[in-house]
Amino acid sequence: MKLSYATGLRCLKCDAEYPLGRFFEGCTRCRTTDLIANLFVSYDYEKLETKVKRSTIAERPASLGVWKYSELLPVGGHDFMITLGEGGTPLIHCKRLGAHLGLRNLYVKNESANPTWSFKDRLCAVAVSKGLELKAKLVTTASTGNLGASTAAYAAHAGLPSIIFTLPTVSRTMLALMQVYGAKIIPVSTAEGRWKLMSEGVRVHSWYPTGSYTVPTASGNPYGVQGYKTIGYEIMEQLAWKVPDLIVHPTCWGEGMFGTWLAAKEYYDLGWIDQLPQMLAAESEAGGPLSYALAEPEHRLLPVKTKRTIASSIATSISSYQGLRAVIDSSGNAIRMSDKELLEMQKEIASSEGIFVEASSAASVAAAGKLRQEGSLDASDTVVCVLTSSGLKDAQTSQLAQLRLPTIDANWQQFMQVLGDMDID
Ligand SMILES: *Cc1c(COP(=O)(O)O)cnc(C)c1O
Ligand SMILES: [Zn+2]
């Protein structure tokens, strides 16, 4: 059995082809000072079609992690495929939350069920495995959040050292994760400074990057982005091949959303599904470059102003060509959510469904709710919101705990006094 049908890399913009090697800076042929298009992996779909059925893949156990889908991933040998059991996350029909938002068929894909509690594990499983295949000696990334934590964990599992360039403002929780997995953490005074150092490491010392480091950004290790396709494959399987009308991603650079979109396109082109979903990018109001690009007549990706926000995982001044393509090619859209909307929805998802996610992650559900309110979604539409990470990652910033609660003695009267108007019978 062939493990992978990957044949090469191709530019998303100009179709230039590259071999499956160390290409982490996007397409060098069509790059301009304003835009670098990322590469994506091409596969021999004709051959795959004759050997593999959708059921062959779907029937494999989730314990294989992302490698359940190895034929459509770019790693060619069992020895390189590392997994911490990422993927196989639950797709949950949210009836109460759905009723609240006026959406009967609202589903969430709970990515906080991943090994480091975020969807970045799908990217890192594939990126670091490809690194092993390409004989990487050291893994690196620039991150203040989930990408850093996940990179550190997967590098540790692969037995490779890692260096994470971060910022002095990195949160304690994220820092603790990166450190406990054994990464060398280097705070750098500016965001661009981190990329400069990373670029030198990759170019001169052959370090292996899990994220982007070019200006403008090509956005993402092209092999890692392939790992995100497994979100899309799983959603289609879990809905028994009924394609959702809309898939919503909390979006920073749009790598995750692009991966999910690629998955849908691949299954559609293989004839395994009969319809394509629309993609909605849920961005933060403290940025939101895709929303601006869509509003701009020529859809140019220009840097936008950012401001302070609790949505640190999705707030960005720049987006990517692949993110733009996912929304345009799917006739989708992008929408910006405020901190207030995110914090309210974070609480709502937890209290009405029992799922506690990062405030940034709540953007997907908040965005779906907003579209429904505006009337651009029907009550019967099937909507899948990706919840990208766990609420424990930013519990401090979100200030959810009410610490000033009175302590009482074991006395029923006192108890009734503090209980308030809750009905206990
Ligand atoms: C990284 C991240 C995102 C954004 O991912 P992109 O692929 O850059 O759009 C969203 N949510 C969380 C929690 C993240 O860590
Ligand atoms: Zn190109």
Side-chain angles (χ1 to χ4, degrees):
M1 193 192 83
K2 217 169 146 66
L3 279 180
S4 168
Y5 287 83
T7 52
L9 291 167
R10 177 176 302 144
C11 171
L12 185 61
K13 190 155 185 278
C14 77
D15 282 333
E17 293 187 24
Y18 300 79
L20 291 164
R22 286 179 52 93
F23 294 96
F24 307 118
E25 303 183 4
C27 182
T28 46
R29 272 173 245 178
C30 66
R31 71 175 286 173
T32 67
T33 46
D34 298 327
L35 185 77
I36 304 180
N38 205 356
L39 307 174
F40 69 107
V41 179
S42 34
Y43 296 84
D44 187 348
Y45 294 109
E46 273 170 30
K47 188 119 161 248
L48 184 146
E49 227 174 341
T50 63
K51 305 270 184 205
V52 188
K53 291 201 289 263
R54 72 177 189 189
S55 58
T56 325
I57 295 179
E59 281 159 13
R60 292 177 190 152
S63 58
L64 294 171
V66 290
W67 306 112
K68 176 172 166 176
Y69 306 93
S70 77
E71 286 93 340
L72 289 160
L73 294 175
V75 178
H78 278 301
D79 292 350
F80 311 120
M81 295 176 180
I82 58 160
T83 180
L84 288 167
E86 64 293 324
T89 58
L91 183 78
I92 301 161
H93 187 188
C94 291
K95 293 189 189 139
R96 257 170 308 280
L97 184 60
H100 177 69
L101 300 176
L103 291 165
R104 274 200 299 286
N105 300 309
L106 175 70
Y107 293 82
V108 296
K109 181 76 173 150
N110 183 10
E111 290 293 300
S112 70
N114 274 302
T116 76
W117 306 281
S118 92
F119 80 145
K120 295 287 194 308
D121 291 343
R122 297 182 190 258
L123 179 149
C124 287
V126 177
V128 175
S129 295
K130 188 68 189 175
L132 286 175
E133 192 173 26
L134 294 172
K135 303 193 167 54
K137 295 279 187 303
L138 189 155
V139 182
T140 188
T141 212
S143 171
T144 52
N146 291 313
L147 180 60
S150 185
T151 296
Y154 280 83
H157 196 65
L160 294 172
S162 60
I163 297 178
I164 316 279
F165 295 104
T166 192
L167 293 173
T169 51
V170 60
S171 84
R172 292 211 128 193
T173 307
M174 295 295 188
L175 188 60
L177 286 172
M178 296 179 206
Q179 275 179 333
V180 82
Y181 295 130
K184 181 83 185 165
I185 318 293
I186 315 282
V188 182
S189 52
T190 61
E192 290 89 65
R194 299 182 303 174
W195 289 2
K196 202 165 154 232
L197 291 168
M198 208 177 134
S199 147
E200 172 133 359
V202 174
R203 288 179 181 179
V204 181
H205 303 281
S206 294
W207 296 353
Y208 185 86
T210 58
S212 177
Y213 54 88
T214 58
V215 182
T217 181
S219 186
N221 175 310
Y223 304 112
V225 173
Q226 291 284 307
Y228 284 138
K229 291 194 304 186
T230 59
I231 300 174
Y233 301 147
E234 287 176 19
I235 291 173
M236 292 181 280
E237 253 172 66
Q238 287 168 314
L239 287 174
W241 314 109
K242 183 186 173 327
V243 180
D245 299 292
L246 184 73
I247 301 180
V248 196
H249 260 270
T251 298
C252 185
W253 292 350
E255 295 169 22
M257 180 179 60
F258 176 71
T260 300
W261 167 242
L262 265 188
K265 262 195 13 188
E266 282 181 331
Y267 274 24
Y268 183 78
D269 290 341
L270 283 164
W272 293 358
I273 53 172
D274 55 11
Q275 181 186 323
L276 286 167
Q278 290 185 306
M279 304 301 299
L280 177 66
E283 299 187 287
S284 163
E285 227 177 57
L290 265 187
S291 302
Y292 284 104
L294 288 177
E296 212 258 352
E298 289 163 52
H299 299 330
R300 280 179 305 159
L301 283 167
L302 304 169
V304 300
K305 277 209 190 81
T306 53
K307 56 182 185 190
R308 265 181 81 93
T309 172
I310 46 103
S312 54
S313 292
I314 58 169
T316 176
S317 61
I318 47 174
S319 188
S320 68
Y321 181 69
Q322 59 195 346
L324 185 67
R325 282 291 297 271
V327 284
I328 290 179
D329 294 356
S330 72
S331 312
N333 212 339
I335 180 171
R336 298 158 71 235
M337 309 308 300
S338 70
D339 278 8
K340 184 163 171 282
E341 289 168 314
L342 298 184
L343 289 171
E344 276 171 15
M345 189 51 77
Q346 180 186 39
K347 276 189 206 160
E348 184 66 42
I349 302 167
S351 61
S352 64
E353 297 291 344
I355 304 165
F356 181 31
V357 300
E358 229 188 91
S360 294
S361 298
S364 54
V365 181
K370 198 170 222 176
L371 282 200
R372 174 69 188 120
Q373 239 174 23
E374 290 171 357
S376 31
L377 276 178
D378 290 336
S380 61
D381 283 348
T382 301
V383 178
V384 174
C385 295
V386 181
L387 298 174
T388 40
S389 176
S390 158
L392 290 176
K393 295 279 180 74
D394 67 348
Q396 298 297 323
T397 3
S398 299
Q399 294 180 330
L400 293 165
Q402 292 166 19
L403 293 173
R404 262 170 284 120
L405 294 173
T407 303
I408 60 162
D409 299 322
N411 173 310
W412 195 260
Q413 231 134 23
Q414 266 191 43
F415 164 65
M416 289 303 285
Q417 269 168 21
V418 295
L419 192 59
D421 57 5
M422 184 177 179
D423 186 1
I424 56 169
D425 289 310

